[in-house]
């Protein structure tokens, strides 16, 4: 996995522990994890040009090694509908970041396809000092934060392990279809979990990985935010 190796090597050389969202998403793509289409822009004009190529609505996000939680820094704008909104959004994010952390290094702004709302799920990995790479799966939002309804398994995982992690959640009925919500694509989620397992087994330098949220759809799934922290 050539791009993955290059990205990890470069981060090490620069003494960076947190990978940029762009880097994390390139790595995810190389391992077959679906992510939202994106392009890095370095100016308002570039952002508007790229938005035209990707198609509306658009999400803009700050790319900075000094900003880990982008929303908290005013670094995320969603649902931008035309080139003017994108160009203004670009300016707005730069302004917000300067207010939040005047000396933050700004790599650029990510112009990103806006994923339609799906059922939000989370895949994580954490390197446990005793058990090694451990994978986590849960539903997003309150299910993780308040109800702690998540399952862990030590990697490497088989598709059957991954399936169990999904179906044994208390909230599983939400993925299985209810009222007006069609069932989520469980095979797509199994693939993401297994690919994550493969990735962290291949790259032992990964200390933490967070795909949060992933939108699960009736057909397929898409990772909206990816974070990777190295040892
Ligand atoms: P952070 O977690 O660093 O604050 P995220 O990239 O997770 O930043 O963005 C914050 C929220 O914005 C996400 O949880 C999601 O609800 C929404 N969001 C971000 N990117 C997209 C996207 N490409 N499509 C749809 N929604 C998005
Ligand atoms: Mg996030």
């Amino acid at each position: 996995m050539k791009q993955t190796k290059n990205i990890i090597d470069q981060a090490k050389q620069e003494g960076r522990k947190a990978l940029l969202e762009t880097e994390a998403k390139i790595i995810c793509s190389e391992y077959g994890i679906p992510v939202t289409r994106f392009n890095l822009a370095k100016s308002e004009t570039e952002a508007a040009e790229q938005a035209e190529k990707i198609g509306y609505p658009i999400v803009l996000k700050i790319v900075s090694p000094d900003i880990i939680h982008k929303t908290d820094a005013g670094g995320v704008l969603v649902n931008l509908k035309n080139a003017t909104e994108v160009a203004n959004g670009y300016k707005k994010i730069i302004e917000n970041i300067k207010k939040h952390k005047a000396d933050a290094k700004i790599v650029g702004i990510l112009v990103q396809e806006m994923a339609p709302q799906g059922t939000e799920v989370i895949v994580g990995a954490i390197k446990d000092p005793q058990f090694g790479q451990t994978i986590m799966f849960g539903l997003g939002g309150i299910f993780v934060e308040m109800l702690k309804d998540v399952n862990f398994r030590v990697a490497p995982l088989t598709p059957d392990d991954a399936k169990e992690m999904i179906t044994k959640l208390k909230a599983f009925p939400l993925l299985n279809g209810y009222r007006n919500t069609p069932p989520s694509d469980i095979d797509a989620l199994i693939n993401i979990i297994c690919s994550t397992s493969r990735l962290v087994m291949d790259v032992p330098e990964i200390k933490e990985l967070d795909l949060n949220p992933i939108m699960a759809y009736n057909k397929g799934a898409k990772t909206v935010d990816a974070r990777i922290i190295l040892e």
Side-chain angles (χ1 to χ4, degrees), residues 11-12 14-19 68 207 228-231:
K12 276 190 197 161
E14 293 172 8
R16 279 190 293 127
K17 301 245 177 280
L19 299 187
I68 306 266
K207 188 174 152 231
I228 292 178
I229 312 281
L230 306 177
E231 289 182 309

Side-chain angles (χ1 to χ4, degrees), residues 4-159:
T4 299
K5 189 176 177 308
N6 288 345
I7 289 169
I8 305 276
D9 287 350
Q10 194 181 348
K12 276 190 197 161
Q13 253 175 32
E14 293 172 8
R16 279 190 293 127
K17 301 245 177 280
L19 299 187
L20 302 170
E21 181 176 339
T22 42
E23 297 172 322
K25 281 186 167 169
I26 291 169
I27 292 175
C28 284
S29 297
E30 205 169 40
Y31 277 83
I33 297 168
V35 300
T36 43
R37 275 185 71 193
F38 67 84
N39 265 307
L40 189 69
K42 304 246 186 194
S43 70
E44 291 161 50
T45 333
E46 233 178 73
E49 275 167 22
Q50 273 152 14
E52 294 288 325
K53 276 186 219 151
I54 291 171
Y56 299 97
I58 282 287
V59 176
L60 295 181
K61 296 193 213 179
I62 185 68
V63 181
S64 164
D66 303 314
I67 310 275
I68 306 266
H69 297 286
K70 301 177 289 280
T71 305
D72 298 351
V76 180
L77 290 175
V78 301
N79 205 22
L80 306 177
K81 294 198 178 74
N82 54 53
T84 312
E85 284 188 19
V86 168
N88 290 339
Y90 186 101
K91 269 188 286 189
K92 183 74 193 154
I93 289 183
I94 302 283
E95 245 176 65
N96 290 348
I97 298 303
K98 294 223 159 110
K99 258 184 251 161
H100 180 82
K101 197 169 191 290
D103 61 345
K105 179 173 183 275
I106 296 174
V107 178
I109 297 223
L110 210 54
V111 181
Q112 186 165 115
E113 156 200 8
M114 178 149 168
Q117 192 60 46
T119 303
E120 293 191 18
V121 304
I122 298 180
V123 171
I126 185 138
K127 193 169 183 177
D128 183 89
Q130 197 174 352
F131 299 108
Q133 297 288 14
T134 305
I135 311 291
M136 185 268 267
F137 180 81
L139 269 83
I142 60 161
F143 293 97
V144 169
E145 285 155 22
M146 290 178 64
L147 305 174
K148 313 280 183 236
D149 182 23
V150 293
N151 283 327
F152 290 90
R153 291 279 187 291
V154 175
L157 299 182
T158 65

